[in-house]
Amino acid sequence: MTKHKIALIGSGNWASATGKIMGENILGSPKLQAIFEIGIQMWTYEEMIDGRKITEIINTKHQNVKYLPGIDLPHNLIANPDLVDCTKNATILVFCLPHQFLPRTLSTMKPHVNPKAIGISLIKGMMFEETKLLPITTFITRTIGIPMAVLSGANVADEIAKGQLCETTIGAVDETHVKLFKDLFHTDAFRVSVVKCPPPSIEIYGACKNVVALGAGFVDAFDFGNNTKSAIIRNGAIEILKLIKLLTGCKDDTIALESCGIADLITTCFGGRNRKCAEKWARSRMVGIDLSKDEEAPIDIGMSWEEVEEELLGGQKLQGNLTAEEIYVIIKREHLEKEFPLLTMICRISEGSEPVTSILKF
Ligand code: NAD
Ligand code: 13P
């Protein structure tokens, strides 16, 4: 049997952490070495760090010093700046990059994709095409013609890279692909569950929880206890499931209690980058505001999302503000504001048409 060749498309925080998981799994298992080639090509967006190429640093120091600093990566995870070279040899494509870079990346890959390749998306976001929101896996299948699975869960990359126990969820239509991907990713500490639910529902949850996490960050700027945040999480969970039904027609709620459901929402609302950036963004608008007098924060003062991202994330990318823009187009167009009061309020605050103090009025 010809062995699968894996290309990991992306080299950021989560891509490096999952590259580590896959690489170490293969190195440690003769059974997996019979199925997968040992080397994993990690397509790495080239950049210079202190005068050296990031690919060269990863391949010599075996650490991604910019996006996952302090964590040793296995020697079989090979940084490669040539996207075409990574693509043309791969039979398994693992997509893990911020979703705003996906269209350009796919158009470079398209002529070189092996038609028998299969893929899995680790991306949390959605694509906006003409007038429709498209799940990432649908967008990838349409663009490069390969079947796609999805992996999503309560998975803050830095914690997983340190080996802390967590769970994740894989969804795919094809049973043989599910088994292959479970073998590739599952470890004692990174526990994979498989659900029958179609990938789009899982992906819409993963994208929208980033929007709810902005709401969690906004209320953190009020310095309240956890009850208010729990209200954001509970209402967010309800609205996300409603949105999934609306966008996919799928009435199956099984994912709600999976790692890709409520667990992801909770971890992101407490420990994620979207929450952290939203708190900073909100605080920059609340300077001098007296909440006891019910004062409104200004909408025209404060840091931009780009400034917060730059200051807090060191090159990593925020997804929640982009997804908020995307889902708000649909909410407005379909006049769904009353159906989705929390999501609507978060989207309005995020785009700057409502003061951040309105988060308590959803
Ligand atoms: P990240 O936020 O660390 O993003 C930075 C990456 O984007 C770097 O590799 C950088 O080189 C690359 N980049 C910058 N400009 C680019 C360009 N023009 N074209 C292509 N790439 C470019 O990335 P990440 O954390 O690996 O996130 C990837 C996906 O995984 C996202 O959808 C995210 O929501 C999801 N995710 C992240 C985590 C996490 O904890 N980080 C957990 C689960 C899911
Ligand atoms: P953030 O992008 O907000 O860090 O969320 C990471 C994540 O998806 C955790 O599951």
Side-chain angles (χ1 to χ4, degrees):
M1 190 184 83
T2 332
K3 291 185 195 180
H4 277 294
K5 290 188 170 82
I6 302 170
L8 171 56
I9 308 300
S11 57
N13 187 236
W14 185 219
S16 302
T18 48
K20 176 179 163 70
I21 291 172
M22 291 187 283
E24 288 176 350
N25 255 355
I26 295 172
L27 280 182
S29 162
K31 185 184 136 204
L32 291 190
Q33 286 168 23
I35 304 171
F36 305 103
E37 293 229 334
I38 290 186
I40 296 174
Q41 296 291 316
M42 177 169 72
W43 174 59
T44 304
Y45 185 74
E46 191 67 283
E47 60 186 290
M48 301 301 285
I49 297 173
D50 297 332
R52 285 181 75 197
K53 290 178 174 167
I54 190 169
T55 49
E56 191 189 303
I57 301 174
I58 294 173
N59 290 337
T60 51
K61 192 173 157 76
H62 300 291
Q63 282 196 3
N64 188 337
V65 292
K66 178 159 179 185
Y67 296 104
L68 193 63
I71 299 292
D72 289 332
L73 300 174
H75 291 221
N76 59 334
L77 184 64
I78 302 146
N80 184 345
D82 186 339
L83 180 57
V84 171
D85 189 48
C86 290
T87 306
K88 67 177 192 232
N89 294 313
T91 55
I92 290 184
L93 293 165
V94 179
F95 289 90
C96 189
L97 71 170
H99 71 283
Q100 60 269 38
F101 304 131
L102 189 61
R104 204 153 155 214
T105 305
L106 287 177
S107 66
T108 307
M109 293 171 72
K110 191 173 173 178
H112 309 282
V113 173
N114 177 340
K116 294 208 172 112
I118 59 174
I120 185 163
S121 168
L122 280 48
I123 298 170
K124 289 178 181 167
M126 279 190 279
M127 300 309 302
F128 198 84
E129 205 183 54
E130 291 169 12
T131 57
K132 277 174 91 180
L133 275 177
L134 285 185
I136 300 284
T137 55
T138 311
F139 182 74
I140 294 176
T141 298
R142 275 200 200 171
T143 314
I144 59 171
I146 63 168
M148 288 294 298
V150 63
L151 179 151
S152 185
N155 297 150
V156 171
D158 293 337
E159 297 172 17
I160 291 168
K162 290 179 195 148
Q164 297 171 12
L165 184 144
C166 77
E167 298 180 306
T168 200
T169 313
I170 285 184
V173 175
D174 186 308
E175 300 269 329
T176 54
H177 299 173
V178 167
K179 173 151 182 9
L180 195 68
F181 289 127
K182 184 167 181 180
D183 285 347
L184 181 59
F185 284 100
H186 182 87
T187 72
D188 288 347
F190 188 64
R191 299 181 182 172
V192 175
S193 299
V194 171
V195 290
K196 290 234 156 66
C197 197
S201 303
I202 299 171
E203 298 179 88
I204 295 169
Y205 208 115
C208 291
K209 65 86 196 177
N210 284 338
V211 178
V212 177
L214 299 184
F218 296 156
V219 299
D220 280 344
F222 288 76
D223 288 322
F224 292 168
N226 288 324
N227 294 341
T228 316
K229 201 186 315 195
S230 298
I232 298 286
I233 293 173
R234 192 189 77 83
N235 284 280
I238 292 168
E239 290 188 24
I240 291 174
L241 289 177
K242 220 196 268 187
L243 192 64
I244 291 172
K245 279 181 195 149
L246 184 91
L247 294 176
T248 66
C250 176
K251 294 191 175 63
D252 179 354
D253 274 355
T254 45
I255 60 160
L257 296 178
E258 294 292 333
S259 181
C260 64
I262 191 70
D264 193 10
L265 185 58
I266 293 169
T267 203
T268 309
C269 287
F270 283 94
R273 302 169 296 186
N274 285 286
R275 186 221 67 79
K276 180 164 90 169
C277 289
E279 180 181 352
K280 176 106 188 167
W281 187 91
R283 281 194 192 280
S284 75
R285 284 158 173 75
M286 286 168 65
V287 180
I289 298 295
D290 188 344
L291 291 172
S292 68
K293 293 190 183 137
D294 220 11
E295 285 179 3
E296 269 195 357
I299 52 171
D300 52 353
I301 293 177
M303 295 173 82
S304 67
W305 285 114
E306 291 74 22
E307 285 166 340
V308 176
E309 182 183 74
E310 168 112 21
E311 189 176 318
L312 293 188
L313 296 189
Q316 293 178 38
K317 299 288 173 199
L318 256 192
Q319 308 286 276
N321 57 325
L322 305 179
T323 304
E325 259 176 53
E326 290 152 5
I327 63 173
Y328 193 39
V329 173
I330 303 296
I331 290 176
K332 268 192 299 192
R333 194 188 63 206
E334 307 293 330
H335 308 292
L336 294 167
E337 290 87 344
K338 287 206 171 76
E339 295 277 307
F340 298 97
L342 177 64
L343 288 174
T344 299
M345 186 56 86
I346 296 170
C347 293
R348 282 190 179 146
I349 294 170
S350 171
E351 70 169 16
S353 58
E354 278 280 349
V356 69
T357 36
S358 291
I359 189 65
L360 302 180
K361 300 177 188 155
F362 70 88

